[in-house]
Amino acid sequence: MSGFVEQVTLTGDRWVTLEPLTREHLPEIEAAAADGELGALWFTAAPKAGAAADWVEARLGVQHPDTGLTFVVRGRDGALVGSSSYLNVDGPNRRLEIGNTWYGAAARRTGVNSETKLLMLGHAFDELGCVAVEFRTHFFNSTSRAGIERLGAKLDGVLRSQQILPDGSRRDTVVYSILDIEWPAVRNNLRYRLSRHS
């Protein structure tokens, strides 16, 4: 099966290895999801402790070379610490979104997210030839918004009432992007940030 986002393993210099999600990862995802009760945040799509199987099936249901790819993130000790995905793939227009990112508490405030994004952005721009990579998050997810802005992504706008959530509330989606011409500066910034992590 060929398409825009073929399954690939991405290995960083220091912090992470990214592997395509499979059902075999479920026990490790259950454990990582329980680290910090990430699924308790109402505005995220992170797996909830005890219900990670539903999350795995949902991610695998949209995992196809023409639509998306979900990675599990392994820390430098080999433990599964989170996940991030290529979403809303638009191969003909050489665009995709990076999102559905979550990490257990032990991985936060380390170099894990910076190296994960360095690998995913590098693959998108340098190997897939993307002209733009998007990031989308809930308006109320201030931590995610700050993280996206620290990457160097620029605000495109807010899609008001873009999604109706399972609890009936409406999600205002904040959209950011990085363009291919911005990638060299963003890459330099990510490498600089990683050099400052011990």
Side-chain angles (χ1 to χ4, degrees), residues 171-183:
R171 169 175 151 149
D172 288 348
T173 299
V174 186
V175 183
Y176 297 85
S177 65
I178 297 171
L179 304 181
D180 54 353
I181 57 172
E182 298 167 335
W183 167 232

Side-chain angles (χ1 to χ4, degrees), residues 1-2 34 85 101-102 117 138 141-142 145 169 186-188:
M1 185 184 315
S2 63
S85 301
T101 300
W102 60 270
K117 294 306 187 292
H138 197 296
N141 194 341
S142 57
R145 289 172 66 180
S169 66
V186 169
R187 180 177 54 214
N188 288 344

Side-chain angles (χ1 to χ4, degrees), residues 23-198:
R23 286 181 180 86
E24 286 69 37
H25 290 117
L26 178 58
E28 293 176 283
I29 290 168
E30 283 277 10
D35 179 21
E37 300 180 1
L38 186 64
L41 298 174
W42 67 273
F43 46 74
T44 73
K48 294 177 175 27
D54 295 337
W55 180 88
V56 169
E57 291 306 314
R59 296 308 323 138
L60 290 176
V62 293
Q63 183 159 290
H64 182 277
D66 290 323
T67 57
L69 174 63
T70 294
F71 294 100
V72 294
V73 179
R74 292 196 180 280
R76 52 186 169 187
D77 64 354
L80 194 152
V81 297
S83 178
S84 195
S85 301
Y86 288 141
L87 314 162
N88 298 316
V89 172
D90 183 355
N93 291 303
R94 295 163 42 213
R95 298 179 65 97
L96 54 76
E97 174 190 344
I98 293 176
N100 252 319
T101 300
W102 60 270
Y103 300 107
R108 294 178 219 153
R109 307 238 183 266
T110 68
V112 166
N113 187 53
S114 292
E115 192 166 64
T116 296
K117 294 306 187 292
L118 180 65
L119 291 170
M120 292 180 75
L121 286 164
H123 186 69
F125 287 119
D126 301 333
E127 303 301 323
L128 302 179
C130 285
V131 298
V133 173
E134 285 186 8
F135 298 85
R136 296 180 175 216
T137 192
H138 197 296
F139 179 84
F140 283 107
N141 194 341
S142 57
T143 301
S144 177
R145 289 172 66 180
I148 292 167
E149 290 171 8
R150 279 194 304 272
L151 289 174
K154 305 293 191 305
L155 177 65
D156 291 330
V158 180
L159 302 175
R160 309 260 299 155
S161 291
Q162 186 260 340
Q163 188 177 5
I164 299 175
L165 300 179
D167 67 0
S169 66
R170 295 184 188 183
R171 169 175 151 149
D172 288 348
T173 299
V174 186
V175 183
Y176 297 85
S177 65
I178 297 171
L179 304 181
D180 54 353
I181 57 172
E182 298 167 335
W183 167 232
V186 169
R187 180 177 54 214
N188 288 344
N189 184 52
L190 283 168
R191 287 176 175 164
Y192 172 75
R193 288 176 57 195
L194 281 166
S195 73
R196 299 172 62 83
H197 279 286
S198 56

